[in-house]
Amino acid sequence: MTSLMRMPMPSSGHDVFERILAAPAGVVALRSRDCEALLEQFRSIARHSGQAVYLWQPGQGLSSLRDAYARVPDAQRLGQALRYMQQSMHFGIYLLQEVELPLAATDLTLLRQLARATTGHLRRVVLLNAPRALVEQLGDQIACVDGEPEAPARLRLRDGRWLSGQA
């Protein structure tokens, strides 16, 4: 019999990835104290699962996390990358890092359209540590996710069974 105490806990990256997929909006604001570690976990998830996960950075453009050197052509500027995301007909998680304000009106409009697009294929645009003003501008069209790992459930033994702290 395997003890629950010895079972491996799921990675916080997997937990955050699942919360992004379950978000009710197409655009997600993700707060994390250690973005680089979270990006490495997402890179590992993309490589092992084959999921289409992309990272956009100013100056570098849009690139695949699964294939280290695969870059999306003509997606160096934010507006170009957002149009690519909007026109894509495939599943995809698009991480946007270091988005700076003020956004061009067309970029803000594209973000709003991506936030509303809930039909068809699953697509999530994730704003990593987005400026608070941008999150407020998008209002209820954006879902907020905390990138910090949730506290593990505290187990206790009762009548020979392991129960979580909530039960």
Side-chain angles (χ1 to χ4, degrees):
M1 185 162 107
T2 305
S3 167
L4 287 177
M5 301 303 282
R6 291 190 197 141
M7 291 179 70
M9 294 301 288
S11 149
S12 63
H14 285 282
D15 179 48
V16 173
F17 198 79
E18 290 298 321
R19 286 188 272 161
I20 289 169
L21 293 176
V27 176
V28 177
L30 176 63
R31 287 256 170 242
S32 177
R33 280 180 269 169
D34 192 1
C35 256
E36 293 307 315
L38 193 58
L39 284 174
E40 282 307 311
Q41 291 173 358
F42 284 173
R43 187 180 316 277
S44 175
I45 291 168
R47 286 183 178 155
H48 293 305
S49 68
Q51 299 286 353
V53 183
Y54 297 89
L55 174 65
W56 180 86
Q57 295 173 307
Q60 296 179 10
L62 190 62
S63 59
S64 172
L65 285 184
R66 184 179 58 201
D67 303 316
Y69 300 104
R71 297 212 182 275
V72 175
D74 297 325
Q76 283 73 29
R77 291 189 306 224
L78 181 59
Q80 294 170 321
L82 291 172
R83 276 189 288 286
Y84 174 83
M85 295 169 205
Q86 187 177 42
Q87 294 168 358
S88 174
M89 298 303 287
H90 304 287
F91 165 86
I93 303 294
Y94 302 94
L95 307 165
L96 304 179
Q97 191 174 31
E98 300 173 20
V99 175
E100 295 179 5
L101 293 179
L103 286 182
T106 54
D107 294 349
L108 190 57
T109 300
L110 286 168
L111 268 177
R112 286 192 171 120
Q113 289 172 356
L114 287 164
R116 286 191 300 265
T118 55
T119 58
H121 56 284
L122 181 68
R123 171 182 46 222
R124 293 288 182 264
V125 177
V126 181
L127 304 171
L128 296 171
N129 291 332
R132 187 174 309 271
L134 178 58
V135 174
E136 290 171 357
Q137 266 185 314
L138 293 169
D140 60 349
Q141 295 176 330
I142 191 170
C144 295
V145 172
D146 186 17
E148 301 309 315
E150 293 180 347
R154 191 164 182 201
L155 299 176
R156 56 189 168 95
L157 188 62
R158 182 178 223 173
D159 298 327
R161 295 180 298 159
W162 286 103
L163 302 174
S164 65
Q166 291 84 13

